[in-house]
Amino acid sequence: MKWTKTEKRQLAIFFAVAFGAPCLMGVAMALVHSMGGSTAVFANAQMFYPAAGAMLALLVTRRGDKLLPRRFYFGFLALTAVMAAVSMATFMQPETALLLANLVIILGSLVCLVLHFLDGRARRTAGGLRLGGAGGGRAIVLTVLLFLALYLGRYAILIAVSKLADPSATLADMGFTTDWLYLGINLAVLPLNFFLVYTPFLGEEYGWRAFLQPLLQKRFGPRRGVLALGVLWGVWHLPLNIFFYSPSTWLQSLVNQIVLCVCLAAFFGYAQHKTRTVWVPVVLHYLNNNLIAVFAGTTSVIENQVIGWADVAVGAVLLAALYLPSLASRFWKEPLPCLPLDAPAEPAAPAANAEAPEAGNQPPQYGPLN
């Protein structure tokens, strides 16, 4: 199916923000990196741009749509602007900027949570932000547990391969923490911490999974659409690959990123199809990013990595084996509905003898998500 004129406008606005902002910020990141500073705050801020692009696209193209979650949208857009401004403060006070960014994320997450509920159920449904989904809580819990099993299985395989290659290798040699108290405490607080820092992960998932994925699936089909999304998602990380993740091996990092994003897009897309709520991919993204730091015992583990082509090849085989089988699921039968949910399609030209309704007398009706 082809995109409507409105959808084409939405995509233009989305790409201008979601990809344009990282390109502009990439210049600032290059300057900070050349001065030997950390670009971590830029990485945090970049996570907000996809959702900001999606929200702006919907607000601009559907101005008369009173059932969009406007309170939440405007709150999130304000938070995005503040995060972009804080990232620029890295030039003057790097350590202060990082601390300030963490405080802004916590405060912004709490404020957005309040706005989320103030918008009401109908607006949350229209905006694709309902907490509940298809299959109820059981489907959500099982999907999260399946992801955790695959995630931990990935680490178990890597540890086994490392031990086969070098029987004397220890967990510390492989980059894992052996501080069991640290590990236990951080695993225990991980679920609680989510409510304080969910906004960056929603920033990506609302843009990628809730907004862009249905549009790409409408044009290219359910599976090809989600694979195309994975490639775009991977390329979107380019400024981070060059100036944050792996400056010395950025090309290997980029290829590895695209492979990772394609495979995760398949599983996150499966989760979105199965549960019909964006909050499940948000939780999965949160777990994927934070468990890395928990198991490594440091939050700086993803910064300044050195990645070889052998690492890329091994990772690609492992990721594909674990996550791409989700594409065989029965939940991929048809594309997901585009945002806003259950909004009426663009009207065709009325017949000559048809009675035109008065403008404003037919507000859009939003039914239940599932």
Side-chain angles (χ1 to χ4, degrees), residues 320-336:
L322 290 173
Y323 297 119
L324 291 187
S326 60
L327 290 173
S329 168
R330 62 183 175 85
F331 293 104
W332 295 95
K333 290 182 179 179
E334 57 186 26
L336 289 172

Side-chain angles (χ1 to χ4, degrees), residues 166-238:
D166 181 6
S168 64
T170 64
L171 287 176
D173 296 331
M174 301 174 201
F176 294 94
T177 181
T178 53
D179 186 342
W180 306 116
L181 179 60
Y182 168 92
L183 184 63
I185 292 174
N186 279 275
L187 287 175
V189 302
L190 202 59
L192 299 175
N193 194 45
F194 172 79
F195 298 98
L196 300 177
V197 297
Y198 70 88
T199 45
F201 305 98
L202 179 68
E204 286 205 45
E205 292 308 312
Y206 192 77
W208 304 130
R209 237 62 59 188
F211 176 80
L212 185 58
Q213 177 177 304
L215 286 169
L216 291 178
Q217 289 181 317
K218 177 182 179 180
R219 183 68 178 84
F220 303 110
R223 292 179 175 85
R224 285 186 297 174
V226 83
L227 292 176
L229 171 61
V231 174
L232 290 171
W233 185 20
V235 173
W236 172 83
H237 287 84
L238 179 59

Side-chain angles (χ1 to χ4, degrees), residues 40-168:
V41 180
F42 289 94
N44 288 334
Q46 184 166 324
M47 296 179 73
F48 287 83
Y49 301 146
M55 293 173 186
L56 278 174
L58 292 169
L59 288 170
V60 169
T61 61
R62 309 196 76 96
R63 283 190 290 268
D65 206 331
K66 295 182 179 179
L67 280 181
L68 287 177
R70 294 176 180 273
R71 292 185 183 91
F72 184 85
Y73 279 7
F74 284 121
F76 192 92
L77 288 171
L79 177 57
T80 302
V82 173
M83 283 298 298
V86 171
S87 66
M88 296 304 292
T90 304
F91 283 101
M92 298 171 288
Q93 296 289 338
E95 294 182 2
T96 303
L98 184 57
L99 175 61
L100 183 58
N102 291 332
L103 292 175
V104 167
I105 289 173
I106 292 172
L107 180 60
S109 295
L110 294 175
V111 171
C112 285
L113 192 62
V114 173
L115 296 176
H116 174 267
F117 287 103
L118 286 178
D119 272 323
R121 177 170 178 171
R123 291 182 178 86
R124 291 197 298 271
T125 298
L129 289 165
R130 274 186 60 185
L131 296 176
R138 183 174 182 271
I140 292 174
V141 171
L142 289 177
T143 303
V144 173
L145 289 177
L146 175 59
F147 176 77
L148 284 173
L150 294 174
Y151 188 92
L152 295 175
R154 177 176 156 200
Y155 276 117
I157 293 172
L158 289 174
I159 291 171
V161 170
S162 297
K163 290 294 287 184
L164 286 173
D166 181 6
S168 64

